[in-house]
């Protein structure tokens, strides 16, 4: 999913130059680093134990970066004050497979998104065990506060695409006035 999302960004579908981008659950940082090579100012976030890997990958790819990229600890469900104002984009790849993390992830998304924030969530549709139920619950909870639009497969990178890997564009629902 990280490669599919990174290559989708590379297609130019989203204007990233000089945009403020946050990657949640960055893991290796591949998606965020790609955004930084496209001119975005990126903060890749994950748990403390992944910071060293993120730093190494940022260092190894700094010659490609035309924006900026830094790594920070962000534990879902906790305070996000230091990540304000809301970013232009939030990127997520393979972040919805662990039931206990759904509520904290949704809280973090609600706390981080502004009216103009675009969340790009890329995930591999898994059909075994509890995964289908976890995905269903995640999207059901997400729809309470967000509008979702699946990006059609023909808009993904021609080589880096798969029938079972989906990219969803997510925006906060606009408040309806009186």
């Amino acid at each position: 999913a990280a490669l599919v999302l990174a290559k989708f960004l590379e297609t130019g579908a989203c204007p990233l130059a000089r945009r403020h981008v946050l990657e949640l659950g960055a893991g290796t940082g591949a998606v965020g680093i790609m955004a930084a090579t496209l001119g975005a100012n990126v903060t890749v976030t994950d748990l403390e134990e992944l910071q060293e890997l993120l730093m190494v990958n940022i260092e190894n790819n700094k010659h490609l970066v035309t924006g900026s990229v830094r790594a920070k600890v962000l534990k879902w469900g906790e305070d996000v004050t230091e990540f304000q104002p809301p970013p232009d984009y939030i990127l997520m790849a393979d972040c919805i497979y662990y039931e206990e993390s759904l509520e904290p992830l949704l809280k973090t998304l609600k706390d981080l998104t502004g009216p103009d924030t675009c969340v790009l969530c890329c995930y591999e549709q898994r059909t075994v065990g509890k995964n289908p139920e976890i995905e269903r619950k995640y999207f059901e909870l997400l729809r309470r506060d967000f509008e979702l639009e699946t990006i059609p497969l023909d808009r993904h990178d021609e080589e880096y695409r798969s029938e079972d890997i989906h990219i969803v564009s997510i925006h906060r629902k606009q408040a309806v006035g009186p």
Side-chain angles (χ1 to χ4, degrees):
L3 287 174
V4 169
L5 184 53
K7 294 300 276 186
F8 173 74
L9 295 177
E10 198 177 40
T11 68
C14 305
L16 292 175
R18 295 178 300 287
R19 297 293 164 68
H20 175 136
V21 175
L22 193 63
E23 183 182 4
L24 300 181
T28 63
V31 176
I33 292 169
M34 173 61 85
T37 69
L38 298 168
N41 297 313
V42 182
T43 304
V44 291
T45 67
D46 213 313
L47 299 173
E48 181 65 50
E49 53 267 28
L50 284 152
Q51 295 300 303
E52 193 175 325
L53 174 63
L54 286 168
M55 300 294 206
V56 166
N57 289 339
I58 288 168
E59 181 62 26
N60 288 341
N61 291 283
K62 69 181 182 193
H63 63 287
L64 300 170
V65 171
T66 60
S68 65
V69 60
R70 64 187 179 146
K72 290 195 110 169
V73 174
L74 174 58
K75 189 171 180 198
W76 299 341
E78 296 188 356
D79 182 51
V80 297
T81 309
E82 70 174 292
F83 299 98
Q84 297 296 343
D88 298 302
Y89 291 93
I90 294 175
L91 307 174
M92 300 167 38
D94 257 341
C95 290
I96 51 172
Y97 55 86
Y98 182 56
E99 191 164 13
E100 291 72 20
S101 70
L102 293 185
E103 296 284 351
L105 174 57
L106 289 160
K107 179 188 184 325
T108 296
L109 282 174
K110 280 191 263 191
D111 292 348
L112 284 172
T113 53
D116 300 318
T117 303
C118 174
V119 180
L120 291 174
C121 173
C122 187
Y123 69 100
E124 181 178 350
Q125 191 170 14
R126 294 178 169 92
T127 56
V128 296
K130 294 181 78 176
N131 287 302
E133 178 60 26
I134 292 167
E135 278 171 28
R136 187 197 60 71
K137 182 178 178 184
Y138 169 74
F139 287 110
E140 183 180 296
L141 292 170
L142 196 62
R143 280 189 180 91
R144 292 181 184 170
D145 298 288
F146 296 91
E147 303 282 344
L148 283 61
E149 178 194 347
T150 300
I151 294 173
L153 196 62
D154 65 8
R155 287 186 44 211
H156 296 206
D157 179 85
E158 282 187 29
E159 198 174 330
Y160 289 84
R161 64 167 69 164
S162 174
E163 295 283 341
D164 61 349
I165 297 180
H166 307 283
I167 303 173
V168 181
S169 174
I170 302 165
H171 291 84
R172 267 197 107 91
K173 285 185 177 173
Q174 298 304 315
V176 180

